[in-house]
Amino acid sequence: MTTATLEHLISSWLQPGGTKQLQRLLHRIPALRRGALLALHLGGCLLMLAAPIVFIGAAGGTFYLYRQIHGPLDWFLVEVGGALAVFSGYLSLQLSLLRPAAPGGVAVRAAHAPALFASLAHRVAHFKLRSVNRVVLTTQTELRIVATPRLALPWPHRRTLCVGVPLSFFLSRGQFSLVLAAAAAAAAQHQSTLSGRLIQASDDWALILAALQTKRHLLARLLTAPVQWIATSADRLCAPLRTDWRLQQGRWLRQHHAECHTTEYLANQIVAAAFMDKHYWPMVLKGAERCPSPVVKAFSHLPILLEKTLNPALAERWLVQAQGAGHRAEAGIRDLLAELRVDHLNWSGLPSADAFGALFKSAGVLKQLDSWWQHDIEPQWRQRHNHFQQDLTRFQQLHKRLGEAALRDESALRYIKLAARFLRPADTLTACREVYAGNRDDARVCFAAGLALIRTGAPEEGIHALQRAADLEPSLSNRAHALIDEQRQAWAETRPVQLAVSGAH
C-alpha cells in the first residue's frame, strides 16, 4: 500500500460519513481488506490471551518482588500483584476450559465403514491435508470437511468429515469418491492460503462466540460483547472472500474431471436438498401435529420413501427453480453454472447402487442417526405439537362461534387462516364465503378472504374480494392488484392448453 493511499484512507475515515467511504475503499482494494481482517484476528487473539498474559506478568513480578522485600511499600506491591495474579489466573482457568462445539452428528468408526476411511486416508495424503480427526453422519445434504478450533482461539484446529446421509442416497460410489476428493482439495486450499486462513478464522469467531454465550461465568460476561463485535466485523469483511470460496469444491471438480461429472453432481445435490427441505421434512414434521414426541424413524425409512415419492417431474421443477431463484444459498450454484456455461441441468435419476449402501454394510448407523435426530429435534417437535394443539383449540372455538354469529375483526382473520388447515377444501370454501359475506366492510378480511378463495378453487370470487379490499383500503391496492394480475396471467397461460384439449376431443 502506497503512502498516498494510506493518507487518503485516514483522511476519508476522519471526514463526516467516513465509515461508508472506508467500506467502499475496502471493497475496491482486496489487499486492504485482507490486512484489516488480519489485524482484526490478531487483535481478537490478543484479547482472548489477555488474562494468561496478565497472569504470567503478575505472577512473575510478584515472585520477583517477594524475594526483594525491603519495606511496607514492597509488601503492598506484593499483595496487589498476588491479587492480580489470582484474578487473572481464575480467568485463565475458565478460558482453558472453554471449548467451541464441533459439528454434531453420529460418530463413525473405521470398523463401521472401512471403505470410507480408506478413501479418506488416501485423499488426506494426496492433498497433504492435516489429519481428519472425526467422521460424523449428519442430516444435511452436503459433504464437507469442517475445521473447529480446539481452544477459544482461531488456532489450532481439529477437522471433521461431515457426511450428509441424504446426499449419499443420491450419489453412486464413484460420484461419492469424486465429491470427497473435491472436499479434501477445498480444505487443503483453506489451510495453505492466506485467504483461506482468514475465512477460517472468521468462522472460528462465530463458534467462539457461541461457546461464550452458553456459559455464565465471569469470563463469558467480560468477553461476550467484544467477541460479538469481532465476529460481526469479521463476517462483514470476509463476505466477498467467502462467496468466492464457496465455489472451490465445484471448481475443483470442473478442473480435474469431465464437465458431465460436475453437472451431474450439482443436479444430484440440488435435487437432494430440495427433496429433503420441500418434501421429506415437511412430511415427517407433520407427525408433530398428532404425536407429542418424535418416534418416527426418519432415516431408516428414507431409502424406501425416497424411491416411492420422488419422480423426475418433481426433480425437473426443483432444478429449474434452483437455477432461476434468488436465494442466497443457491447463488453459488448459479455462479458455478455460469462459469461452466451450463444453461440447463438434467437429473439422471437415483443410482442403482447408492454410495451409502456401498460404504456402510450395516443399517445400524441409520438407527443411531434416528436416535440422534429424535433427541436433537425433540424441543422443536414439542413446540410444533403444542402450537398445533393451541391452533386446533382456537379453531374449534371460532368455528363454534361462527355457527352462532358472524365473526369480526381479528377473529375473522384468524379463522380464515386456520380454516385451510382443519377443514376439507369444500368446507373451507363455504366457510370463507360466509366470513367474507359478513365482513364486506373490512378491507383486511376482504383481502384475506380473497386469497383463501383463490387457493380453494374460487378464483373469480377471490378477485372480486381482492378488488373490494383495494377499494376500501388504498394501502392494500398495490398488493391486491399484483395478485389479481398474477391470477389473470395464470388463466392466460392455461387457456391455450384447455383449448387444445377440447379441440382434440
Side-chain angles (χ1 to χ4, degrees), residues 16 48 51 162 255 264 267 269 281 304 306 311 333 348 351 400 402 404 412 419 434-435 453 461 481 492:
M48 301 301 294
C162 299
Q255 294 171 0
E264 185 177 10
Q269 187 181 38
W281 288 129
I304 300 174
L306 179 61
N311 58 71
I333 294 176
S348 58
K400 182 179 180 180
L402 181 63
E404 300 171 352
E434 185 175 352
V435 173
L453 289 169
E461 297 177 56
H481 286 112

Side-chain angles (χ1 to χ4, degrees), residues 167-181:
L167 180 62
S168 67
F169 289 110
F170 286 80
L171 302 178
S172 65
R173 178 68 177 87
Q175 291 172 346
F176 186 91
S177 297
L178 293 179
V179 178
L180 179 59

Side-chain angles (χ1 to χ4, degrees), residues 362-383:
S362 172
V365 290
L366 287 181
K367 295 180 181 179
Q368 295 178 29
L369 192 59
D370 286 334
S371 301
W372 180 84
W373 174 81
Q374 289 170 358
H375 180 269
D376 185 63
I377 201 68
E378 187 170 5
Q380 179 186 347
W381 187 282
R382 291 187 180 277
Q383 185 178 19

Side-chain angles (χ1 to χ4, degrees), residues 21 38 56 131 186 207 236 244 256 258 297 308 310 313 328 340 350 375 380 390 402 408 420 424-425 437 456 488 495:
Q21 296 182 17
L38 182 60
I56 294 174
S131 61
L207 296 175
R236 291 176 180 175
D244 183 70
H256 294 83
K297 298 179 180 179
K308 291 184 177 180
L310 181 58
R328 183 179 179 183
L340 292 172
L350 295 172
H375 180 269
Q380 179 186 347
Q390 293 171 3
L402 181 63
R408 300 287 296 177
R424 294 176 301 178
T456 52
R488 288 174 176 169
R495 187 176 180 184

Side-chain angles (χ1 to χ4, degrees), residues 392-407:
L392 178 60
T393 302
R394 179 62 174 160
F395 173 76
Q396 290 171 346
Q397 294 172 351
L398 292 173
H399 193 66
K400 182 179 180 180
R401 286 175 53 189
L402 181 63
E404 300 171 352
L407 297 176

Side-chain angles (χ1 to χ4, degrees), residues 454 462-468 470 477-491:
I454 290 175
I463 287 177
H464 288 306
L466 290 174
Q467 184 61 54
R468 185 168 184 81
S477 179
N478 291 335
R479 293 172 58 194
H481 286 112
L483 291 169
I484 291 172
D485 293 340
E486 182 181 342
Q487 182 60 38
R488 288 174 176 169
Q489 180 66 27
W491 281 348

Side-chain angles (χ1 to χ4, degrees), residues 58 62 77-87:
T62 301
L77 293 176
V78 168
E79 292 172 355
V80 171
L84 185 61
V86 171
F87 179 72

Side-chain angles (χ1 to χ4, degrees), residues 1-12 25 29 32:
M1 185 188 305
T2 63
T3 305
T5 303
L6 184 59
E7 292 177 354
H8 174 69
L9 171 61
I10 297 174
S11 61
S12 62
L25 190 61
I29 307 177
L32 184 60

